[in-house]
Amino acid sequence: QHYNKPAIEWDIFLDPQLVRLVDAALTVVDELETKLHRIRLKRERIRQQRRKEREEKRYQRKKREEMMKRMRMNGGGFGSLAKSAIAEDDSDTATSEDEDDDE
C-alpha cells in the first residue's frame, strides 16, 4: 500500500484520540491521491485509444477515397479495381520485405 505520511512529532499530541484522527485523515488523503493517480492514467489510456481510432478512421477513409478514384479512372468496373488493389498489395508486400532485409 502507498503510505506517504509526513514526519510528525507524535509525542506533541497529548490525546491518543487526536493522534488516531490525524492518522486516519492522512490515510484517507493518501488513498485519494492513489485513486486520483489511477484515474489520470485511465484517462490518458482512453485519450490514446481515441487518438488511435481517429487515425485508423482517417486511414480507412483515405483508402476508400483512393479506391473510388482508381475505380473512376479505370472505367468504374469492379474487376479493374480488384486488379489495382491486388497490385497494390503485392507492392506493399515487396516494400515490407525490402524493409525486413534492411534490418
Side-chain angles (χ1 to χ4, degrees):
Q1 179 185 6
H2 178 63
Y3 200 68
N4 190 16
K5 292 188 178 186
I8 295 178
E9 297 295 330
W10 292 105
D11 59 346
I12 64 169
F13 295 105
L14 300 176
D15 184 359
Q17 180 63 24
L18 183 58
V19 172
R20 283 190 290 275
L21 289 173
V22 169
D23 185 51
L26 291 173
T27 299
V28 168
V29 167
D30 195 41
E31 289 171 357
L32 291 173
E33 287 175 347
T34 301
K35 287 179 182 180
L36 180 61
H37 179 70
R38 287 181 184 153
I39 289 169
R40 286 179 177 153
L41 289 175
K42 184 176 179 179
R43 282 183 181 173
E44 183 57 31
R45 282 193 302 270
I46 290 169
R47 282 187 197 113
Q48 290 174 354
Q49 181 64 30
R50 287 180 180 165
R51 190 177 310 121
K52 188 176 181 180
E53 288 170 0
R54 282 192 305 270
E55 289 172 2
E56 180 65 24
K57 285 180 183 180
R58 274 189 228 117
Y59 173 78
Q60 292 297 329
R61 184 174 53 243
K62 183 179 175 184
K63 293 296 275 184
R64 279 193 308 272
E65 289 170 356
E66 288 175 7
M67 287 176 58
M68 293 302 290
K69 182 179 175 182
R70 277 194 230 135
M71 195 163 82
R72 285 190 299 269
M73 289 173 45
N74 292 324
F78 181 76
S80 59
L81 177 62
K83 288 179 188 176
S84 173
I86 291 170
E88 181 181 306
D89 284 344
D90 289 342
S91 68
D92 287 347
T93 304
T95 304
S96 65
E97 289 173 357
D98 291 343
E99 289 171 357
D100 291 342
D101 290 342
D102 292 342
E103 294 175 0

